[in-house]
Amino acid sequence: MPSQKPSSPTRTGAALVGFLAGILLVLSGFVLGIVADRQMGGTAPLITQAVVLPTFPAVATDTVPAGRPTSTPRPAATPVPTVTPRPSDPPISLTDAKNTTPKELKDQFDIFWQAFQILENNFYYRPLDEQKLIYGALKGMYNSAGDDYTVFLEPKTAQDRKDAENGQFVGIGVYIEQKDGELRITSVIPNGPAAAAGLQSGDVVLSIDGKSLAGLSLEDQRTPIRGPENSIVTLTVRRAGEANPLDIPITRKRIVIPAVTLDVRPDGIGVLKITGFNDHYKQELDDALKQAQDKKVKGLVLDLRDNGGGYVDGARQLLGRFLPKDSLAMLEDRRPTGGNLSPITVIENGPVFDLPLVVLVNGGTASASEITAGALQDYNRATLIGTKTFGKGSEQSVTQFKDGSSSRVTIANWYTPKQRIIQKEGLVPDMVVEAPKDQRGTAPDPQLGAATDLLRTKIASSEISGNSSNVPQSRNNRAAIDTGARDPDDYRE
């Protein structure tokens, strides 16, 4: 067995140096690992291809919060999905678009194009949907005008809006308004899904399917109410007298509402219900009035409750059936006129019916229906019964774009022939009668009852005086009214 030699000082020193060098090597590797980790983690500035102007410095948003260790283990990397290359991946050039910016808006649009280009160049989750970005920018621009009725609608929303105005849509069967930023139910369509579920007039919708409506525009608040037929939507509402919000599930159904209907009662009174002045309105109006004439009705209840309006010419055509030639339908204030009110006359489209007339209105009576009610009230042609109207006295110009989207821009305000303002004021009826409490249409209608009672009195008075009802009157004399407005001949289409 060989003997063990004692270690020399030289060999011992060399071993110690080797041991210390190994430790230093490990420590240096650990430090380099931390440095590399921090470079990948984002505390150092990102190196990108984007051009960042000096006035818009990049700000790191993914730094480690104060108080947290920088050695927190990195989570496992998420695989990057494979995306199909698109013309905008790599980012598109906006040079041509920037060159077409009007000189007067160049400074403001420089910021817009810069912001758009930064998103195009740097956004992580590719690919970007530029069409969605453009629609979002357009909606934001129109909403920022500060007018609830000036809106940009994407193609599907625009089509849904068109269908609803023509009385055919899938929904829950309610009339709505936005007041103080809240979505309110102004009334419920009798026998509709909402009525069956127990939704009531006056309910304030707080959320839809659990998503809050706070801070949204009217269009964005109303959109989630729509959906596929037979699907269920849950409205969370605040109701007067209830301590806690109520969740009301409603099954969406296809709802078809005719623009004009006529019900001739046994006592000879006709109830002419008009729900909107839409594409089908004129033909339905002609048919209903011919039926009223054939059945020799003695008086008419013109029911404009929950009529949200529609085409202005529809109101003028209706007024042309009850007011003489050249009567004023309204006064119009367009922006370029500098506040001068332009007279707008009724449209002649048939005989003028000299019948006792009562008009029913409520908080859902708006826009073109308020034009109708206001003119009939100003000329003392009809008695208004019900509750105060909505107060929408503005006109929108609708532009349809090639992709199916559309814009609606407020271009004018309306006044009644006696220069009463409609916008935000509404019309106060001659006889205030509250609405029926049962919104499902099963209880007596006190407003309709008051209207028919008054009509019977008017009919009796007309018969005593010898005036014949249902006889067209002459169009040769313009109905007299003191408006202080310019002569209608000055009006230019």
Side-chain angles (χ1 to χ4, degrees), residues 89-111:
D89 276 320
I92 61 176
S93 171
L94 300 175
T95 302
D96 291 342
K98 286 189 275 189
N99 289 339
T100 61
T101 302
K103 181 179 179 181
E104 295 81 2
L105 297 174
K106 190 174 186 307
D107 289 343
Q108 293 94 322
F109 264 93
D110 275 349
I111 299 173

Side-chain angles (χ1 to χ4, degrees), residues 151-460:
V151 294
F152 176 85
L153 305 178
E154 294 185 31
K156 185 179 184 307
T157 306
Q159 186 59 51
D160 288 345
R161 180 75 172 267
K162 182 73 172 175
D163 292 343
E165 289 172 347
N166 282 323
Q168 299 185 29
F169 60 95
V170 173
I172 63 174
V174 294
Y175 294 95
I176 60 174
E177 66 170 320
Q178 188 185 67
K179 189 172 183 179
D180 299 328
E182 294 182 324
L183 186 68
R184 296 174 182 265
I185 305 298
T186 58
S187 64
V188 181
I189 297 174
N191 304 317
L199 201 65
Q200 296 180 8
S201 173
D203 286 346
V204 176
V205 184
L206 304 176
S207 62
I208 299 177
D209 287 336
K211 297 180 180 179
S212 173
L213 302 185
L216 300 180
S217 67
L218 176 59
E219 285 299 328
D220 289 338
Q221 286 180 338
R222 69 194 293 176
T223 296
I225 295 178
R226 302 283 177 82
E229 189 172 4
N230 296 320
S231 61
I232 296 176
V233 60
T234 299
L235 273 60
T236 301
V237 303
R238 184 178 73 240
R239 179 175 295 170
E242 297 287 344
N244 300 311
L246 305 174
D247 289 332
I248 303 178
I250 306 171
T251 301
R252 301 179 176 101
K253 296 291 183 182
R254 176 159 293 280
I255 298 172
V256 179
I257 305 174
V260 183
T261 57
L262 175 69
D263 175 32
V264 180
R265 298 157 51 98
D267 57 5
I269 291 177
V271 180
L272 188 67
K273 173 70 175 176
I274 300 180
T275 60
F277 300 96
N278 59 35
D279 291 337
H280 314 293
Y281 153 79
K282 186 178 183 300
Q283 185 59 54
E284 293 181 23
L285 175 65
D286 290 341
D287 294 343
L289 289 178
K290 185 178 186 307
Q291 182 184 356
Q293 191 172 17
D294 292 342
K295 293 189 175 183
K296 302 187 182 302
V297 297
K298 298 178 180 179
L300 274 178
V301 176
L302 179 58
D303 191 349
L304 297 179
R305 291 177 295 181
D306 300 317
N307 182 324
Y311 297 125
V312 178
D313 281 355
R316 297 173 63 195
Q317 290 163 353
L318 181 60
L319 287 169
R321 293 300 184 95
F322 298 105
L323 293 174
K325 177 183 178 181
D326 292 336
S327 298
L328 293 179
M330 61 182 177
L331 301 168
E332 184 182 65
D333 176 19
R334 286 180 178 257
R335 187 192 64 80
T337 63
N340 293 324
L341 300 181
S342 300
I344 310 296
T345 59
V346 302
I347 294 177
E348 303 174 42
N349 61 350
V352 177
F353 291 95
D354 186 17
L355 291 169
L357 186 64
V358 174
V359 179
L360 290 178
V361 296
N362 66 0
T365 304
S367 193
S369 60
E370 287 179 289
I371 290 175
T372 302
L376 293 173
Q377 189 180 42
D378 278 3
Y379 280 108
N380 295 318
R381 178 63 183 86
T383 302
L384 268 58
I385 294 179
T387 55
K388 186 177 180 180
T389 64
F390 180 77
K392 181 188 179 295
S394 61
E395 178 182 354
Q396 283 69 48
S397 172
V398 181
T399 302
Q400 189 83 20
F401 300 111
K402 62 182 180 181
D403 64 348
S405 62
S406 69
S407 70
R408 294 171 180 246
V409 177
T410 297
I411 60 171
N413 273 356
W414 300 318
Y415 295 77
T416 71
K418 285 188 175 180
Q419 299 192 25
R420 290 185 295 155
I421 189 170
I422 297 175
Q423 182 70 7
K424 297 184 179 180
E425 295 293 332
L427 303 172
V428 177
D430 302 298
M431 183 185 301
V432 175
V433 178
E434 294 298 325
K437 294 183 179 180
D438 187 343
Q439 294 292 317
R440 290 168 292 186
T442 58
D445 185 341
Q447 294 173 332
L448 180 58
T452 54
D453 287 346
L454 179 60
L455 262 185
R456 279 192 288 269
T457 302
K458 287 189 173 187
I459 292 170

